[in-house]
Amino acid sequence: MQTSNSDLSYILNHLGEEREHYLQAVSPPIFQTSNFTFTDVAAMRNSLQDELNTPFYTRGCNPTVAILRKKVAALEQAEDALIFSSGSAAIASAVMSQVAQGDHIVCVSKPYSWTNKLLDKLLKRFGVQSSFINGTDPQHYANAIQPNTKILFLESPNSITFELQDIEAVVAIAKQHNLVTIIDNSYASPLFQQPIPMGVDLVTHSASKYLNGHSDIVAGVLCGSHEMIRQIFESEYMTLGGIISPHDAWLMIRGLRTLPLRMKHVSETTEKVVEYLEQHPKIEKVYYPFAKSFPQYDLAKKQMKRATGLFSIQIKAESIEEIERFCNRLNRFLLACSWGGHESLIFPMCVLYQSQNYRSTELPWNLVRMCIGLEEAEVLIRDLEQALE
Ligand SMILES: Cc1ncc(COP(=O)(O)O)c(C=O)c1O
């Protein structure tokens, strides 16, 4: 059997799965237990020496979750990983692990909305300030660094308008100033972008998206070095307790088995759908990192293997009502907020126009985000055709 961690099928089919411990079952058991028992006091004491890797209490280590940690770390080419109950929990733990009162963070200007809330509202209450910068030029990061800066935060691309940061250039700036880099890599998935080999310290994902891929769990991951992951485990992970359940970890292991197939299908189908929309007279603009018209196309090609299924369009419409009619007429795209699952989705930004939680005014009212699922391109194009009519 191939035993290399860089062999994708080995990672997804075998890595971490110690079948001899559970009757050679092909699919691992769900260790649905909070607690683990010991034959004697010495064994109990011994297991506490390494709570990250020894089953003692499921908030720390659970064997089903442990299998998942190994697979996720290998996919990102990281030394280790932690799995959380949501992407937001992973991001919050990563960020909080690197700052204390009086510190400062430089973050790209349009991160995921709850990342923005974390930096701009929650951490401010604890005396941590953040500067938000455009980030399309690495110099924006350099210019915003203060003596108390601790983190350069990236989200490349973001999940609505897809601006990128030059990851290697930002890492070089961080290293010059001895700062930690954290990236939200949810858009690309570890198959299409690997920030750790580019020098990024901590990589987060909303695993609710492509990693799980079936729209049936909410989960998050955090990847990094043995040392950083152990520090975060011993502090934020164990104290905040935002862990994944064994059952959800099992679902994610199952979802991961088909990650390469799903990503291949989604990126090929999306290219066809984007090509169709780019030439449609009712489409004003397409936001898609691998479109030739995308302002950062060259950078996207340089640091990402492929683009995924997420893109946005601006529709030539006279009113929000017209946008609503377009969305309501689609049959094969579900109106829903998340992305990265088997089903195609549509999320019109005009939905945010009454919400207090989102900085909606920055997004054009005629912007609509689409996520391509596992349907055939022709079916989706036909559906778009009739709705645009
Ligand atoms: C880019 C990005 N990062 C992070 C998150 C947060 O992930 P979760 O919903 O799993 O907490 C999301 C969720 O939509 C997202 O789109």
Side-chain angles (χ1 to χ4, degrees):
M1 187 185 290
Q2 169 67 267
T3 54
S4 157
N5 277 16
S6 59
D7 169 351
L8 206 49
S9 62
Y10 173 75
I11 295 169
L12 299 175
N13 290 333
H14 303 297
L15 183 68
E17 305 193 49
E18 298 171 6
R19 296 191 171 100
E20 65 279 14
H21 291 153
Y22 36 82
L23 305 174
Q24 299 294 352
V26 169
S27 172
I30 306 171
F31 283 90
Q32 193 67 43
T33 181
S34 59
N35 226 348
F36 298 86
T37 182
F38 299 90
T39 48
D40 56 46
V41 173
M44 192 174 186
R45 183 183 297 118
N46 201 31
S47 77
L48 268 182
Q49 301 302 305
D50 182 13
E51 226 184 324
L52 172 59
N53 297 307
T54 314
F56 184 80
Y57 183 56
T58 278
R59 178 155 43 79
C61 176
N62 174 281
T64 311
V65 180
I67 296 171
L68 182 56
R69 278 179 52 209
K70 290 198 178 110
K71 290 186 192 296
V72 165
L75 286 173
E76 277 290 357
Q77 291 197 48
E79 285 176 6
D80 205 350
L82 291 171
I83 318 291
F84 291 82
S85 55
S86 71
S88 289
I91 293 166
S93 293
V95 170
M96 288 169 72
S97 72
Q98 302 303 317
V99 288
Q101 192 178 24
D103 286 343
H104 173 252
I105 298 166
V106 183
C107 179
V108 69
S109 63
K110 287 192 273 180
Y112 174 61
S113 47
W114 294 100
T115 304
N116 180 272
K117 263 253 166 85
L118 169 75
L119 301 185
D120 205 30
K121 297 268 183 326
L122 195 146
L123 287 179
K124 260 191 190 160
R125 286 182 10 222
F126 301 95
V128 176
Q129 303 293 323
S130 294
S131 302
F132 294 91
I133 47 102
N134 172 297
T136 50
D137 181 343
Q139 202 54 38
H140 297 157
Y141 277 95
N143 294 345
I145 292 171
Q146 303 176 5
N148 56 343
T149 303
K150 291 284 159 32
I151 298 173
L152 303 187
F153 192 97
L154 303 87
E155 185 181 310
S156 183
N158 72 42
S159 60
I160 296 182
T161 45
F162 311 104
E163 287 88 358
L164 307 159
Q165 298 95 60
D166 184 330
I167 298 173
E168 283 176 337
V170 177
V171 164
I173 292 165
K175 289 200 188 311
Q176 263 172 21
H177 294 84
N178 205 17
L179 306 176
V180 168
T181 41
I182 305 177
I183 190 168
D184 182 337
N185 198 29
S186 303
Y187 170 91
S189 92
L191 294 200
F192 294 165
Q193 178 166 277
Q194 290 189 312
I196 297 253
M198 293 188 226
V200 172
D201 296 303
L202 292 170
V203 176
T204 69
H205 283 271
S206 169
S208 327
K209 312 301 191 275
Y210 287 121
L211 288 177
N212 180 60
H214 291 72
S215 304
D216 49 12
I217 65 165
V218 173
V221 310
L222 171 59
C223 302
S225 67
H226 283 307
E227 192 188 343
M228 288 181 100
I229 290 295
R230 183 168 289 281
Q231 275 170 7
I232 294 168
F233 172 79
E234 282 168 4
S235 181
E236 289 72 22
Y237 185 84
M238 286 299 278
T239 55
L240 300 176
I243 63 157
I244 193 170
S245 73
H247 186 250
D248 283 358
W250 185 90
L251 283 169
M252 195 169 145
I253 291 169
R254 185 169 71 165
L256 276 181
R257 309 271 195 214
T258 55
L259 181 67
L261 291 176
R262 291 187 281 108
M263 298 314 292
K264 181 171 185 292
H265 183 94
V266 153
S267 70
E268 285 172 3
T269 307
T270 306
E271 273 173 23
K272 290 183 194 158
V273 174
V274 165
E275 210 171 286
Y276 163 77
L277 288 169
E278 273 184 317
Q279 54 74 47
H280 197 288
K282 289 191 181 153
I283 301 301
E284 189 179 305
K285 189 171 170 185
V286 177
Y287 298 74
Y288 174 67
F290 270 36
K292 292 229 168 64
S293 59
F294 190 72
Q296 295 176 291
Y297 173 78
D298 290 337
L299 179 59
K301 284 270 177 181
K302 187 187 121 199
Q303 63 189 20
M304 288 164 57
K305 289 200 189 85
R306 300 194 74 148
T308 62
L310 206 55
F311 66 92
S312 295
I313 51 176
Q314 266 178 278
I315 300 177
K316 285 183 192 157
E318 303 279 314
S319 63
I320 284 188
E321 287 70 34
E322 271 186 42
I323 303 287
E324 289 186 20
R325 266 209 308 282
F326 163 71
C327 296
N328 293 343
R329 282 192 68 101
L330 287 166
N331 299 312
R332 293 304 191 103
F333 291 82
L334 303 176
L335 266 168
C337 72
S338 189
W339 48 274
H342 54 86
E343 73 292 15
S344 287
L345 301 173
I346 185 154
F347 186 98
M349 295 306 145
C350 60
V351 164
L352 305 177
Y353 270 55
Q354 285 150 10
S355 166
Q356 300 302 309
N357 274 336
Y358 298 84
R359 299 156 302 146
S360 53
T361 48
E362 287 174 20
L363 295 167
W365 59 270
N366 62 344
L367 189 75
V368 175
R369 185 180 73 187
M370 317 203 74
C371 176
I372 301 300
L374 300 180
E375 302 86 348
E376 301 81 19
E378 299 68 34
V379 168
L380 298 176
I381 289 170
R382 263 205 308 280
D383 196 26
L384 288 165
E385 182 82 50
Q386 63 80 25
L388 284 166
E389 278 277 324

